[in-house]
């Protein structure tokens, strides 16, 4: 089992360009999350999904959109990238509420010039 | 509001014991997690507390006091590989959102 995978691992964008980050999981988990991690600020929740076809806003949703068309995939889109979106992006999944932890993907490093 | 505080950095000696503290303020509480994150890697789960008290798991233990909004992670018999960031995270009532602290960078020296 691959667990949680993220594509791409690293990307450089110019301001104004668009891109989609893909998160895929083979653990049959209901809940999926997108975080960004910046130095000194910890992980901040961008968007999350509690099941196929559902999405919701997190702490810092502006400038991002998401889709969960299939249970195993959670896509994060940047329509018009800005330098402030330079960050490391982590996807995470969880089986259910309660004592279950979140399982994180390896991360995507994004640099916006 | 919601806030999680933990020290930015700590240094300890190989073989020693270190305690990393975390204080939190949240609008609702549904569990506290500790994660370990090595540089350039993803966070990995260490412990989960939802009731007051101490949870022990090998060299790592985690303590929770809900009335004080306080937790600590205790690492015993430190090894060089324990050099990493340790993230304290609190899950809100409802369970969908988890708020993370900025993390504590632990340096283990020989």
């Amino acid at each position: 089992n691959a667990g949680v995978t993220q594509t791409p691992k690293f990307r450089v964008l110019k301001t104004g360009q668009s891109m989609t980050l893909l998160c895929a999981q083979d653990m049959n988990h209901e809940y999926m999350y997108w975080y960004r991690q910046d130095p000194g600020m910890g992980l901040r929740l961008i968007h999350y999904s509690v099941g196929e076809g559902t999405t919701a806003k997190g702490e810092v949703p502006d400038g991002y959109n998401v889709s969960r068309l299939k249970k195993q995939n959670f896509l994060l889109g940047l329509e018009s990238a800005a330098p402030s979106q330079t960050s490391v992006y982590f996807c995470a999944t969880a089986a259910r509420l309660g004592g279950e932890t979140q399982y994180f993907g390896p991360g995507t490093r994004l640099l916006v010039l | 509001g919601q806030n999680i505080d933990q020290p930015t950095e700590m240094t300890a000696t190989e073989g020693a014991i270190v305690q990393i503290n975390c204080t939190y303020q949240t609008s609702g509480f549904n569990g506290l997690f500790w994660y370990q994150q090595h540089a350039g890697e993803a966070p990995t789960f260490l412990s989960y507390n939802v009731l007051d008290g101490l949870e022990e798991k090998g060299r790592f233990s985690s303590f929770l006091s809900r009335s004080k909004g306080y937790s600590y992670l205790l690492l015993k018999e430190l090894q060089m590989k324990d050099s990493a960031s340790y993230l304290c995270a609190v899950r809100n009532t409802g369970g969908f959102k988890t708020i993370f602290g900025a993390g504590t960078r632990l340096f283990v020296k020989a």
Side-chain angles (χ1 to χ4, degrees):
Chain A
N1 288 350
V4 184
T5 59
Q6 292 183 230
T7 309
K9 289 184 171 53
F10 178 70
R11 184 77 182 268
V12 179
L13 287 179
K14 295 181 180 179
T15 297
Q17 286 185 317
S18 63
M19 77 165 294
T20 300
L21 283 69
L22 170 64
C23 176
Q25 53 112 349
D26 61 5
M27 297 186 288
N28 202 34
H29 284 175
E30 290 295 331
Y31 307 112
M32 297 188 75
Y33 308 83
W34 274 109
Y35 293 92
R36 60 178 289 173
Q37 187 174 38
D38 303 292
M41 299 192 73
L43 288 157
R44 290 183 293 169
L45 183 65
I46 305 171
H47 286 281
Y48 64 98
S49 169
V50 300
E52 182 179 321
T54 73
T55 62
K57 294 181 180 179
E59 301 171 77
V60 289
D62 294 342
Y64 305 95
N65 57 75
V66 288
S67 64
R68 182 106 180 263
L69 299 179
K70 295 182 178 180
K71 184 178 183 178
Q72 63 267 34
N73 294 338
F74 195 29
L75 279 64
L76 178 71
L78 286 74
E79 291 186 350
S80 179
S84 61
Q85 293 178 304
T86 292
S87 188
V88 180
Y89 292 86
F90 286 102
C91 174
T93 72
R96 58 175 175 81
L97 303 181
E100 286 288 327
T101 180
Q102 295 183 23
Y103 296 86
F104 286 85
T108 295
R109 294 183 176 275
L110 177 64
L111 175 61
V112 183
L113 301 175
Chain B
Q2 301 176 109
N3 192 47
I4 296 178
D5 288 316
Q6 50 182 133
T8 303
E9 287 185 0
M10 298 182 70
T11 300
T13 304
E14 191 176 19
I17 299 173
V18 70
Q19 177 174 312
I20 302 174
N21 295 324
C22 170
T23 58
Y24 64 89
Q25 294 174 315
T26 61
S27 54
F29 179 84
N30 190 22
L32 185 142
F33 296 85
W34 283 96
Y35 290 86
Q36 181 190 60
Q37 186 177 25
H38 285 99
E41 298 182 7
T44 55
F45 171 74
L46 286 178
S47 69
Y48 169 70
N49 296 68
V50 67
L51 299 176
D52 291 351
L54 188 68
E55 294 282 341
E56 297 185 81
K57 189 184 296 185
R59 293 190 298 116
F60 294 5
S61 302
S62 57
F63 172 82
L64 175 67
S65 169
R66 289 172 296 171
S67 62
K68 295 182 179 178
Y70 168 70
S71 173
Y72 68 72
L73 179 69
L74 194 70
L75 291 75
K76 303 176 186 175
E77 300 170 14
L78 280 173
Q79 302 175 10
M80 299 299 287
K81 67 178 182 179
D82 296 330
S83 292
S85 288
Y86 291 86
L87 312 180
C88 175
V90 175
R91 186 165 57 199
N92 284 5
T93 305
F96 298 128
K97 296 182 183 179
T98 300
I99 306 301
F100 285 81
T104 298
R105 291 183 65 189
L106 175 65
F107 299 94
V108 180
K109 59 181 182 179

